[in-house]
Amino acid sequence: MIGDDGVDGYFGTLSQDSATIAEVLKGNGNKTLMSGKWHVCNDLEGPSDGPADGWPCGRGFDEYFGMLTGAGSYFAPKHMLRNNEKITAPDGDWYFTDAISDEAVDQIRRHHSDNPEQPFFQYVAYTAPHWPLHAKPEDIAKYDGKYAEGWD
């Protein structure tokens, strides 16, 4: 692929000419589930008349929860989706890393309950360790001063 600047390489969006693992596995009877960052499309808003072809559910995933970008606030990430619906992070005691894990487990539980004999593919992609590095205040407090004297 050659970009507008004449440089060969990846420009932030998956090519429609190549299959994702989810597209291949879904085509072979698997339920395809994803939770976390997508980070392989430049279309963060989607077309006005529906979902973007480059979003996870347009690239083979039956279910998706997460954000389209690769970095952002762990407490209030932007560009979030549940399947093809734009959502916002809830206010209060919410942390994206935990939400990714919780959703992945929920997707597997729902699938096992609804279709226990159908094979599935689960892809989980955390934003950590992308910048900015955010942690819950109670986790930070556990290590306060731990490395004040240096790494050794």
Side-chain angles (χ1 to χ4, degrees), residues 43-89:
D43 188 356
L44 302 179
E45 298 302 322
S48 61
D49 60 349
D53 291 341
W55 289 359
C57 291
R59 295 307 310 260
F61 286 98
D62 293 308
E63 293 185 30
Y64 173 69
F65 166 81
M67 69 180 196
L68 295 174
T69 59
S73 171
Y74 289 30
F75 301 101
K78 296 181 180 179
H79 308 293
M80 289 191 61
L81 299 176
R82 177 172 300 284
N83 299 323
N84 285 321
E85 298 296 319
K86 294 176 188 175
I87 60 172
T88 57

Side-chain angles (χ1 to χ4, degrees), residues 37 67 70-71 74 95-97 100 125-134:
K37 67 174 180 157
M67 69 180 196
Y74 289 30
Y95 187 63
F96 192 38
T97 302
I100 291 169
Y126 293 98
T127 55
H130 279 294
W131 58 267
L133 298 178
H134 291 161

